[in-house]
């Protein structure tokens, strides 16, 4: 199974403000930068509880009919999900990947700071697509956390966009 990350950060490496606010990201995601094409390649998403709560506040469910797995050890209320396919799982990342692979899922999109960090620590991420927004916010929720060892990356491509977005794609070297 392929596990990928597609995420936006400030230039100083934060995915959200300390309170979880995403107001520094371009409205509506900015100009097209490959997200729709990436989403078309994904079978399922794995997100953390905080990311789920953030997305739940959006006017419409952003993931369509894609299977979304929310990681949490606490009961969650899915009644606010309008038109989406959502379920809850708990456990370490290798267990989550194993459960999804047993269902035939071939490409998983992992999103949310703690979730991404856990999947990286477990050595399960193969691809990282990081879009840097031209802003420094000074503090916030970092994309990366501590790792038990270096994670070597192979640069695939870097693209820039008229708004100043700079997107780099990496493959994790095994």
């Amino acid at each position: 199974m392929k596990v990928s990350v597609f995420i936006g950060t400030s230039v100083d490496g934060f995915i959200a403000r300390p309170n979880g606010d995403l107001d520094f990201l371009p409205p509506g995601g900015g100009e097209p930068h490959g997200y729709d094409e990436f989403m078309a390649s994904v079978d399922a998403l794995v997100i953390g509880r905080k990311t789920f709560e953030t997305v739940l506040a959006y006017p419409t469910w952003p993931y369509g009919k894609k299977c979304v797995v929310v990681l949490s050890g606490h009961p969650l209320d899915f009644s606010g999900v309008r038109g989406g396919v959502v379920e809850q799982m708990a456990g370490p990342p290798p267990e989550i990947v194993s459960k999804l692979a047993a269902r035939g899922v071939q490409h998983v999109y992992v999103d949310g700071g703690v979730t991404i960090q856990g999947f990286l620590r477990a050595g399960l991420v193969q691809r990282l697509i990081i879009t840097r927004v031209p802003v420094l916010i000074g503090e916030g929720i970092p994309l990366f956390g501590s790792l038990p060892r270096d994670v070597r990356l192979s640069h695939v491509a870097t693209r820039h966009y008229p708004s100043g977005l700079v997107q780099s794609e990496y493959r994790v070297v095994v």
Side-chain angles (χ1 to χ4, degrees):
M1 175 188 302
K2 182 177 180 181
V3 177
S4 299
V5 171
F6 191 112
I7 195 157
T9 71
S10 61
V11 170
D12 47 355
F14 298 108
I15 60 171
R17 294 193 186 277
N19 66 358
D21 199 345
L22 303 171
D23 64 343
F24 66 92
L25 295 175
E31 73 260 57
H33 57 278
Y35 181 77
D36 292 339
E37 294 81 0
F38 171 77
M39 281 298 289
S41 75
V42 169
D43 301 312
L45 291 86
V46 176
I47 63 176
R49 179 190 50 81
K50 289 181 183 177
T51 300
F52 170 69
E53 289 171 355
T54 298
V55 168
L56 207 51
Y58 292 176
T60 59
W61 183 247
Y63 306 124
K65 296 291 183 187
K66 296 272 184 195
C67 172
V68 177
V69 174
V70 182
L71 301 182
S72 180
H74 303 288
L76 297 171
D77 177 9
F78 293 136
S79 63
V81 177
R82 298 160 301 280
V85 178
V86 184
E87 66 179 279
Q88 180 176 348
M89 284 188 191
E95 185 179 306
I96 302 302
V97 166
S98 181
K99 286 179 184 178
L100 292 172
R103 294 186 195 174
V105 172
Q106 294 183 23
H107 187 193
V108 173
Y109 168 18
V110 177
D111 196 14
V114 172
T115 303
I116 291 169
Q117 292 171 18
F119 276 69
L120 275 170
R121 275 193 296 277
L124 296 170
V125 175
Q126 289 91 32
R127 181 179 180 207
L128 292 158
I129 301 168
I130 302 166
T131 305
R132 290 176 306 285
V133 178
V135 64
L136 300 170
I137 63 173
E139 64 178 345
I141 299 168
L143 172 55
F144 301 112
S146 65
L147 294 166
R149 65 196 172 300
D150 290 354
V151 176
R152 300 261 176 228
L153 305 174
S154 173
H155 180 255
V156 174
T158 295
R159 297 168 278 280
H160 65 281
Y161 298 88
S163 68
L165 295 178
V166 177
Q167 182 180 82
S168 294
E169 181 176 347
Y170 300 94
R171 205 175 53 255
V172 175
V173 177
V174 183

